[in-house]
Amino acid sequence: MAAPSVCKAGGSGGTGTRAAFPELDFRSGARIEELNRLIQDYAKHDQREYDDQRALEIHTAKDFIFSMLGMVQKLDLKLPVANEYLLLSGGVREGVVDLDLDELSVYARGTDYDMDFTLLVPALKLHDRNQPVTLDMRHSALCHSWLSLRLFDEGTISKWKDCCTIVDHINGATNYFFSPTKVADWFHDSISVVLSEIQKKPQRGMPKVEKVEKNGTIISIILGVGSSRMLYDIVPVVSFKGWPAVAQSWLMENHFWDGKITEEEVISGFYLVPACFHKGKKENEWRLSFARSEVQLKKCISGSLMQAYQACKAIIIKLLSRPKAISPYHLRSMMLWACDRLPANYLAQEDSAAHFLLGLIDDLQHCLVNKMCPNYFIPQCNMLEHLSEETVMLHARKLSSVRSDPAEHLRTAIEHVKAANHLTIELQRRGSTPSIPSPQSDGGDNNQPDDRLAKKLQQLVTENPGKSISVFINPDDVTRPHFRIDDKFF
């Protein structure tokens, strides 16, 4: 009788030790380990390191923008005297705020700019109320509102009459509705006047204004400072303290941030931004924005999930750009819903970025096929309901190709960001714009910031990658920096 055969490791039907098999993605066959490596590679190239010179250039551009806004305020005293701006890293095109505008010019990092920022500038502030804010939503879709100046005093109405649409009622009363399009026109004209005055008396080390464009209701400015080009998307907004009544029920639910940050931090305020529903009246309609709350929520999202989100955004931002349907803001909303849906200890796993990326792609495809993407703060608002069946199915098919080979799409995203970085380095090497004078050079310009500020700013940037920065500024005092990164003041 023959001896029984010995089952080798990894063979079928035996009891021997099975050889360790690499973890695979069932749909694409991609190795999870390889996807994790590619996501980390993308993050490494996407997050730039800033030396002292670049940090000083960032500060010089910021200071120029805030000084310019101080001069805009003094033109006709329309803007609040002591204003509070919200400065977000990343431009409107990157989905930093929910502004899906048709008129946006196409700018590319590396070709047109090296760094981009979004600056929310309150044209009006309503900060004296403790109860939930009730807005006039009778004329608009969910997440949108008209704004009557009846909420404000007579001086404010008189000041802003020319930026309103006027509605006369049967009883003879006149109602002034704050117009986002007219406010944007006024803001662009005022900025143009101020920049023209500034350029008549150029000062040593002043940024070069390379481009000023009105893109729908935002103003895009590209500044050349030394070897850097910085894009600022400036958005006129209405700022409220407190919380809108329409989003009150959201506070009653359980959320991933419970116990990590306080409710007071989350509901400290909201904005109306100049964007209307696709069937709304552009001259009257504003969109609710919770950008201030999103800055707080971002602190509660794990690093690996944020890496997956950034990589996913890089993949889809161009792939799904035409016809216009999906913005990075939709993807961010899906990520916030995922944080509510999934256990915190699962989302905190450092080696799970690949699973998170694949999950975000699956979520986005699911939302498209079902034509359903609820707003995170106002869930009854479906941000995809207006899309046609043809559009959603076209994008769902494009995402299917990504899901079939995520590694290849990640490699393409990495090549794109490397190319953008290479273009930036090449322009710096060629000296496309003259370097700003060193604070220690002989020139006797006492207005130049010293290198202690540059070092401090560089430290803030490197210690807080990807974080949003609130900046408090008084137009009558632009000599001092006013930083708040999340809840830290500088």
Side-chain angles (χ1 to χ4, degrees):
M1 185 172 177
S5 60
V6 178
C7 203
K8 295 181 180 179
S12 60
T15 57
T17 303
R18 183 177 296 275
F21 203 78
E23 187 180 4
L24 300 179
D25 169 37
F26 186 91
R27 173 69 188 90
S28 65
R31 293 169 62 125
I32 296 298
E33 182 183 8
E34 172 71 358
L35 292 178
N36 276 328
R37 186 189 65 77
L38 289 169
I39 292 169
Q40 289 169 6
D41 200 21
Y42 175 81
K44 180 184 72 176
H45 290 291
D46 189 47
Q47 292 179 359
R48 284 85 65 202
E49 295 272 330
Y50 300 145
D51 58 16
D52 284 357
Q53 180 68 17
R54 177 60 64 89
L56 180 56
E57 291 166 357
I58 293 171
H59 170 74
T60 301
K62 175 201 70 71
D63 201 49
F64 177 84
I65 291 291
F66 293 156
S67 297
M68 175 198 76
L69 290 172
M71 294 174 70
V72 168
Q73 192 277 333
K74 290 176 180 177
L75 272 183
D76 50 17
L77 304 180
K78 273 186 162 74
L79 293 181
V81 174
N83 219 347
E84 180 182 335
Y85 307 149
L86 183 64
L87 178 63
L88 305 165
S89 81
V92 165
R93 294 154 191 80
E94 294 293 312
V96 174
V97 287
D98 188 12
L99 269 172
D100 191 16
L101 302 176
D102 294 328
E103 304 92 336
L104 279 177
S105 299
V106 178
Y107 302 144
R109 185 158 73 84
T111 304
D112 301 300
Y113 63 91
D114 307 315
M115 287 160 287
D116 53 340
F117 302 93
T118 298
L119 187 63
L120 304 188
V121 179
L124 287 176
K125 297 194 302 182
L126 199 59
H127 285 188
D128 57 349
R129 299 189 173 200
N130 294 319
Q131 69 269 31
V133 180
T134 302
L135 297 167
D136 188 350
M137 296 181 168
R138 295 170 299 170
H139 315 283
S140 52
L142 269 170
C143 287
H144 297 81
S145 178
W146 291 22
L147 181 68
S148 169
L149 288 194
R150 285 181 178 176
L151 294 171
F152 300 87
D153 56 69
E154 285 299 323
T156 301
I157 295 174
S158 175
K159 213 184 289 185
W160 284 104
K161 267 184 184 178
D162 56 339
C163 289
C164 292
T165 57
I166 301 171
V167 176
D168 291 320
H169 292 285
I170 300 173
N171 61 9
T174 299
N175 205 347
Y176 296 94
F177 287 102
F178 205 44
S179 169
T181 52
K182 291 186 177 184
V183 170
D185 289 340
W186 165 82
F187 207 19
H188 177 256
D189 291 345
S190 298
I191 286 175
S192 299
V193 168
V194 165
L195 288 178
S196 176
E197 288 300 311
I198 290 174
Q199 288 167 332
K200 286 178 183 175
K201 301 174 183 177
Q203 296 180 1
R204 181 172 176 269
M206 189 176 76
K208 176 186 176 186
V209 180
E210 297 189 355
K211 186 173 289 187
V212 181
E213 283 190 352
K214 183 170 172 290
N215 289 287
T217 50
I218 70 169
I219 292 86
S220 298
I221 300 176
I222 296 179
L223 299 177
V225 191
S227 59
S228 303
R229 296 160 302 158
M230 281 162 250
L231 167 63
Y232 271 83
D233 283 329
I234 301 177
V235 186
V237 300
V238 182
S239 173
F240 293 86
K241 281 286 197 261
W243 199 245
V246 69
Q248 199 68 20
S249 60
W250 177 79
L251 296 175
M252 305 297 109
E253 306 294 333
N254 294 323
H255 297 290
F256 71 98
W257 47 267
D258 293 337
K260 297 176 183 176
I261 52 177
T262 66
E263 186 174 286
E264 287 71 27
E265 290 176 287
V266 174
I267 65 170
S268 61
F270 68 100
Y271 298 101
L272 294 181
V273 296
C276 74
F277 188 61
H278 79 291
K279 287 184 179 178
K281 290 190 175 182
K282 287 186 177 182
E283 65 274 16
N284 283 348
E285 196 166 284
W286 300 78
R287 179 177 293 160
L288 275 77
S289 169
F290 300 91
R292 187 192 296 269
S293 302
E294 288 161 3
V295 168
Q296 298 299 325
L297 298 185
K298 193 175 177 183
K299 295 188 289 187
C300 305
I301 299 175
S302 71
S304 50
L305 179 55
M306 281 305 301
Q307 280 190 348
Y309 164 74
Q310 295 294 350
C312 188
K313 183 173 75 168
I315 290 171
I316 71 162
I317 198 166
K318 289 182 179 176
L319 183 73
L320 304 186
S321 61
R322 294 288 182 271
K324 200 161 190 176
I326 293 293
S327 77
Y329 191 83
H330 292 102
L331 185 65
R332 188 194 299 189
S333 299
M334 293 168 201
M335 177 177 66
L336 292 173
W337 282 119
C339 289
D340 274 357
R341 183 176 72 243
L342 297 164
N345 56 356
Y346 167 70
L347 293 175
Q349 295 179 100
E350 292 184 4
D351 59 350
S352 292
H355 293 294
F356 302 156
L357 170 69
L358 299 173
L360 287 170
I361 296 170
D362 289 341
D363 260 10
L364 186 51
Q365 194 167 21
H366 174 84
C367 288
L368 281 166
V369 169
N370 291 281
K371 218 163 74 168
M372 172 64 71
C373 179
N375 181 285
Y376 182 66
F377 299 93
I378 307 177
Q380 59 270 37
C381 171
N382 174 13
M383 297 188 291
L384 298 183
E385 68 176 342
H386 62 285
L387 298 180
S388 69
E389 294 294 334
E390 293 79 10
T391 296
V392 295
M393 290 312 297
L394 173 63
H395 285 321
R397 284 194 292 271
K398 289 179 180 178
L399 276 179
S400 180
S401 71
V402 175
R403 193 63 184 79
S404 298
D405 195 355
E408 183 57 32
H409 284 83
L410 277 171
R411 291 187 192 99
T412 301
I414 291 168
E415 289 306 311
H416 283 163
V417 74
K418 285 167 71 174
N421 290 340
H422 179 72
L423 274 173
T424 295
I425 293 168
E426 273 296 300
L427 284 169
Q428 289 172 354
R429 187 180 62 80
R430 294 176 193 169
S432 59
T433 52
S435 179
I436 64 174
S438 164
Q440 297 168 328
S441 64
D442 294 329
D445 188 348
N446 294 325
N447 292 322
Q448 286 291 317
D450 63 33
D451 73 346
R452 287 175 301 171
L453 179 59
K455 288 176 180 176
K456 177 190 274 191
L457 188 58
Q458 190 231 343
Q459 183 182 357
L460 297 185
V461 171
T462 54
E463 289 179 355
N464 301 275
K467 290 191 178 178
S468 300
I469 304 172
S470 290
V471 180
F472 297 83
I473 199 79
N474 184 331
D476 295 320
D477 177 16
V478 294
T479 61
R480 297 181 295 114
H482 308 254
F483 298 107
R484 186 185 75 187
I485 299 181
D486 288 342
D487 55 354
K488 295 185 292 185
F489 288 82
F490 301 90

